Amino acid sequence: ALVEPLDEALSLWKRLLENPGIPDVRSPEQTVTSLQLLASLYRLQAQPLQALESFQLLRSLCRRLGDHSGAADALCQLARLLLQLECPSQAQVFLEELELCPAEAEGSE
């Protein structure tokens, strides 16, 4: 029962972020913070799959906003969760993507 509000929030965020581009929200920064909080709450509730999904939404939003450090943080969290779930090959995919983040940041400035 404690997870139901989180599931509802995740469903709403997925619908909002399913379209490409920056979502029409009042504050993209608050949206990033809300997704970080959602993922953290899922982790505290021992719901790693939903936490993974939340961090993937966060990564996508940060990329759209050009927030390379936010995207890198989401990638770290994704890799950490996958390692905790004993899925090293899937974690490796995100770690390889993480290696490209600094290059993207340097190229955009």
Side-chain angles (χ1 to χ4, degrees):
L2 294 175
V3 179
E4 286 180 29
L6 297 177
D7 291 340
E8 185 178 331
L10 179 60
S11 176
L12 292 171
W13 284 124
K14 285 182 352 187
R15 278 190 275 161
L16 181 68
L17 298 171
E18 69 186 2
N19 297 321
I22 297 174
D24 188 24
V25 293
R26 273 189 245 164
S27 171
E29 295 80 15
Q30 285 181 343
T31 302
V32 167
T33 302
S34 294
L35 282 169
Q36 289 169 330
L37 181 59
L38 180 65
S40 296
L41 289 171
Y42 270 126
R43 288 177 82 175
L44 289 172
Q45 291 293 323
Q47 300 289 319
L49 298 180
Q50 291 88 340
L52 285 170
E53 197 169 3
S54 300
F55 281 123
Q56 288 177 325
L57 289 173
L58 178 61
R59 176 192 63 173
S60 173
L61 178 60
C62 286
R63 285 189 160 185
R64 295 177 199 187
L65 296 172
D67 179 1
H68 298 291
S69 64
D73 182 58
L75 288 166
C76 288
Q77 296 298 331
L78 285 162
R80 179 179 292 140
L81 268 172
L82 288 166
L83 288 171
Q84 289 172 348
L85 294 171
E86 299 181 12
C87 302
S89 60
Q90 288 85 357
Q92 182 65 34
V93 171
F94 291 112
L95 291 173
E96 289 171 0
E97 188 176 332
L98 180 61
E99 290 177 357
L100 299 176
C101 284
E104 290 176 358
E106 290 173 12
S108 67
E109 295 178 350

